[in-house]
Amino acid sequence: MPGSAAWAGAGPPTTQSSHRDPLLTGTYDKAAVAAELAALIKSAPVVVFTWSFSPFSKKACQLLDGLGARYTTVELDKVPRGFALKKELSKATDRSSVPHVFIRGESVGGCFDGPGLVPLYQSGELQKMLKRARAL
């Protein structure tokens, strides 16, 4: 994503059949992936978990870019173990949609929900949160 410190790996897992892909079928080291997820959430003041073709992910990043915020994106469809990370993120937050935004390690939801970047922006709270996180 332009204007962000994107973290992207070599790309999504590639197999001839998704039925044999252990990340898609749920076979992975859950503790290791949960630890990796926790580390990613704390890796920057603002972390945005996205899916590269998600229009809501793009909108969330555009909003942050428009504010001049510094953030890190984790494109779950491009990073190694992205499917496993998405599954653990869903379990940890009870939300399966993207984007999923964390400010100072705390979930603020997606673009419009949980409470969401857009409602937080409209109320002026997002800007305050970003300043407290030193992301502005």
Side-chain angles (χ1 to χ4, degrees):
M1 301 264 162
S4 67
W7 180 76
T14 55
T15 62
Q16 290 184 344
S17 170
S18 64
H19 299 292
R20 287 182 238 137
D21 188 332
L23 296 181
L24 296 178
T25 59
T27 306
Y28 58 90
D29 184 340
K30 290 176 176 46
V33 173
E36 181 180 358
L37 176 64
L40 285 168
I41 289 169
K42 294 178 181 176
S43 68
V46 180
V47 179
V48 183
F49 291 91
T50 67
W51 204 260
S52 60
F53 295 106
S54 161
F56 291 108
S57 293
K58 288 185 189 333
K59 183 168 184 65
C61 291
Q62 287 171 345
L63 175 58
L64 292 170
D65 288 340
L67 291 171
R70 292 179 306 281
Y71 61 95
T72 296
T73 58
V74 180
E75 292 183 280
L76 293 168
D77 57 328
K78 294 186 178 181
V79 298
R81 296 174 301 288
F83 290 96
L85 285 165
K86 186 173 188 305
K87 189 169 185 175
E88 290 302 310
L89 180 62
S90 296
K91 286 182 358 187
T93 62
D94 206 24
R95 290 184 77 250
S96 61
S97 61
V98 289
H100 200 121
V101 182
F102 289 82
I103 300 176
R104 295 175 56 185
E106 296 291 323
S107 171
V108 296
C111 205
F112 294 97
D113 60 328
L117 289 183
V118 171
L120 288 170
Y121 170 74
Q122 290 171 336
S123 72
E125 188 61 26
L126 177 61
Q127 298 86 322
K128 293 175 190 173
M129 294 172 79
L130 293 170
K131 285 179 183 173
R132 284 192 300 267
R134 298 180 187 197
L136 279 183

